[in-house]
Amino acid sequence: MMARYCCNRLEPWMSLSVTYSGIATVGCCGFTGKPFNFDIDKGPNPPALWNSPVLQNLRRAFAENRAGEAGCANCSQYVPMSVANTQTITPPQANPLRNHLRQRNLEQLHMAAMAGDTELTMPPAKLALCFSPVCNLRCVMCSQEYYHKNIDFKELQADAILRYQDWLTGVDEIELCGGEVFASNQARRFINKLATSPGLQGVCLRIITNGQLVDKVIEDLLCFERAHFHVSLDGIGSVYEAVRVGGKWPRVEKNLLMLAHHAQSRPGWTLSTSAVLIRDAINGLPDLVKYCLDHGLQLNVQELLPTRNSFRHDLCNSPEARAAIPWREKLETARQMFEDAGYHQQARAVADFAQKVAEAASSDCNAVQRLDFEVLQDVDQIAGKRVMIWGTGSNYRLFFAKWLKSVQNQIVFLGFIDNNEEQWHQQLDGHQINAPGEVAQLAPDLIVLAVTLIWREPVLKQIRNLGLLCEVV
């Protein structure tokens, strides 16, 4: 059967993501299917994970035109074959900085994707690793503070990955993220081993960083011919320090310009920056755009993925955030600056976001009263409330099971909610899992969202559509 749809980036055949939480999945942030677990104490076996039943079934689902059901339906990269990116469906071009082994591996992966093969003998083109949630900053829209206080996590061990060195030599890109990559001892050890191993130096290293610690590892980084660095900024000067609490603008600016200098003299190095469109960042966005244009830095903008601490900074959901800044003026100024400089994609992204905020301001989309996550830590505020938890997967286990056990004598816990029909009316930790349509009759005062970031906004809309008059964390 010829597949009618494909992944624009062929992710099921190209990428694998492995994290400190003992979870592996296809290396795509838009994938909403079930991940697959491994024993973090024993360490991951990347070759086995790469051909796990979950990934093989996903590849098979594409060949049988069922990928939408397998977790890809809402992804922008899931497109009809007739409109797939021609750069994807044609063989990968040679790169003079990529060795023969990696080039051949890419070509074989491409052929396997086109043939719909499910079991692969070659490693992925990209391996994404998250060693730890440890971070040196406490950004206002992030949940890392909660992780440090409430989650007993174990770092992914560098040596557990490096014992598969022969397999790694075929991987073209290794992406590292956190937390903060350079705040993780294991991530730094992994980078050092890559930098000092002749068979691994040729890999393309991709790092997402806040930029504060780059100078501590620059000697190892300079060992890589190919590297991409993405520095999360969100603002300059006082705006940067207000959003990225604990960060110092002079330090990150020095490291940012150092990376830019090296990128200018190294054909295999690239550098980009980003801003998340939250209240304070939007207020300083024109200044950030000007700074990046003046220094020849690529700046991308991205919408906020709602986290446990982000509501007060979220213009699409908080009237107070919209009232605090002249958001229309700031966004339009930034849009025009991007447009005048020829950055049409960024200009369109800003315009689309401004339209979304305008629609939110003129609608009833704020009918659900959202609370900051800190409310859950204040027993007096939640005592006696009728509480439900939406979500029964790994997010619940990692982040909320311990909390529920600690407060269940102070609250009236009504049970769980889940969109997965297979879970309905099952028991979890002694409580029933309910269908969304059954929640209204239970009349909760508070719903706690234990779902991944990509599902928060859809679930909030679902709560609004159900007409539930309750608070949401």
Side-chain angles (χ1 to χ4, degrees):
M1 180 186 298
M2 178 65 70
R4 295 192 301 271
Y5 283 78
C6 82
C7 172
N8 220 356
R9 295 195 293 241
L10 304 181
E11 294 285 359
W13 288 269
M14 294 290 174
S15 65
L16 175 67
S17 172
V18 181
T19 75
Y20 65 89
S21 56
I23 294 176
T25 185
V26 61
C28 173
C29 61
F31 180 65
T32 58
K34 291 183 178 180
F36 35 103
N37 300 326
F38 61 89
D39 188 333
I40 190 66
D41 291 320
K42 294 180 179 179
N45 180 336
L49 294 172
W50 182 227
N51 277 305
S52 67
V54 174
L55 265 181
Q56 289 198 50
N57 288 338
L58 179 60
R59 295 168 191 144
R60 186 175 297 110
F62 269 99
E64 297 175 356
N65 295 301
R66 297 183 292 103
E69 305 168 11
C72 296
N74 297 316
C75 179
S76 61
Q77 302 300 326
Y78 180 55
V79 296
M81 186 69 79
S82 59
V83 298
N85 188 327
T86 55
Q87 292 181 343
T88 295
I89 60 177
T90 55
Q93 299 298 308
N95 182 332
L97 297 178
R98 181 188 298 128
N99 67 20
H100 174 72
L101 173 63
R102 293 188 175 95
Q103 180 64 32
R104 184 182 63 186
N105 186 49
L106 279 174
E107 293 169 356
Q108 289 177 338
L109 287 168
H110 182 270
M111 288 189 291
M114 295 298 98
D117 295 342
T118 59
E119 185 171 1
L120 305 178
T121 59
M122 66 293 291
K126 184 179 82 172
L127 177 64
L129 300 172
C130 182
F131 283 92
S132 167
V134 167
C135 190
N136 56 323
L137 303 184
R138 295 294 179 267
C139 302
V140 297
M141 64 288 196
C142 192
S143 299
Q144 298 297 340
E145 186 70 20
Y146 175 77
Y147 293 164
H148 285 282
K149 288 181 178 179
N150 297 278
I151 306 303
D152 296 324
F153 65 88
K154 296 182 179 180
E155 279 196 291
L156 188 63
Q157 297 297 298
D159 290 344
I161 303 294
L162 291 165
R163 64 190 176 193
Y164 299 97
Q165 181 166 335
D166 289 345
W167 185 80
L168 290 172
T169 57
V171 175
D172 189 53
E173 294 184 1
I174 294 180
E175 179 178 286
L176 305 180
C177 65
E180 165 54 37
V181 170
F182 301 132
S184 164
N185 292 331
Q186 291 300 317
R188 292 199 305 273
R189 175 176 173 78
F190 184 76
I191 292 170
N192 175 260
K193 291 295 185 180
L194 291 183
T196 55
S197 300
L200 298 177
Q201 285 177 342
V203 72
C204 179
L205 189 65
R206 302 182 70 88
I207 292 181
I208 302 171
T209 175
N210 60 42
Q212 289 284 324
L213 303 174
V214 171
D215 55 314
K216 303 295 185 182
V217 293
I218 189 63
E219 289 187 12
D220 281 341
L221 298 178
L222 290 172
C223 293
F224 295 90
E225 283 190 307
R226 296 188 295 153
H228 174 76
F229 302 95
H230 182 89
V231 182
S232 303
L233 287 181
D234 303 312
I236 62 173
S238 60
V239 173
Y240 172 86
E241 294 182 358
V243 173
R244 300 197 157 263
V245 178
K248 302 300 181 184
W249 171 248
R251 183 178 182 86
V252 75
E253 181 181 34
K254 177 182 176 181
N255 286 336
L256 181 67
L257 296 181
M258 175 179 65
L259 287 175
H261 171 73
H262 287 302
Q264 288 178 347
S265 60
R266 289 170 168 257
W269 277 36
T270 56
L271 173 66
S272 63
T273 66
S274 66
V276 178
L277 295 173
I278 60 173
R279 184 192 64 199
D280 291 346
I282 291 169
N283 205 31
L285 188 58
D287 293 334
L288 176 59
V289 175
K290 182 178 186 304
Y291 179 88
C292 289
L293 292 176
D294 289 346
H295 290 85
L297 301 171
Q298 178 184 331
L299 173 64
N300 300 314
V301 296
Q302 60 191 78
E303 295 184 25
L304 173 70
L305 283 173
T307 65
R308 298 172 183 83
N309 299 323
S310 66
F311 176 58
R312 73 187 72 173
H313 309 281
D314 185 353
L315 266 67
C316 286
N317 288 286
S318 171
E320 292 79 8
R322 292 195 294 271
I325 62 170
W327 58 270
R328 288 184 176 86
E329 173 190 336
K330 297 291 186 177
L331 290 172
E332 175 54 26
T333 299
R335 185 204 66 78
Q336 191 63 57
M337 293 171 71
F338 275 132
E339 197 69 58
D340 292 345
Y343 289 93
H344 305 301
Q345 184 176 350
Q346 287 88 334
R348 171 47 54 191
V350 172
D352 289 345
F353 178 75
Q355 179 64 28
K356 184 177 291 188
V357 177
E359 291 173 357
S362 62
S363 72
D364 62 353
C365 72
N366 302 298
V368 176
Q369 182 178 358
R370 290 174 59 178
L371 304 177
D372 287 324
F373 187 74
E374 287 81 357
V375 168
L376 298 186
Q377 309 305 313
D378 188 341
V379 176
D380 291 337
Q381 287 198 54
I382 62 175
K385 287 184 180 290
R386 297 166 60 84
V387 179
M388 301 190 77
I389 293 179
W390 194 308
T392 59
S394 58
N395 261 37
Y396 164 69
R397 285 293 182 202
L398 283 170
F399 308 132
F400 294 100
K402 181 179 176 181
W403 169 81
L404 177 60
K405 186 176 181 179
S406 71
V407 301
Q408 60 184 359
N409 291 331
Q410 284 79 42
I411 64 174
V412 179
F413 188 63
L414 304 176
F416 298 92
I417 314 163
D418 202 288
N419 281 318
N420 184 354
E421 294 183 20
E422 296 178 1
Q423 299 289 334
W424 293 351
H425 307 139
Q426 301 294 317
Q427 293 285 308
L428 175 61
D429 291 345
H431 300 280
Q432 179 166 296
I433 302 173
N434 300 275
E438 299 170 330
V439 177
Q441 63 191 22
L442 296 171
D445 302 314
L446 175 66
I447 294 178
V448 178
L449 300 187
V451 295
T452 56
L453 295 181
I454 198 169
W455 282 111
R456 294 240 171 98
E457 281 304 316
V459 169
L460 279 171
K461 291 179 181 178
Q462 198 171 355
I463 290 173
R464 295 176 191 125
N465 293 337
L466 289 169
L468 299 177
L469 300 176
C470 62
E471 298 169 328
V472 176
V473 172

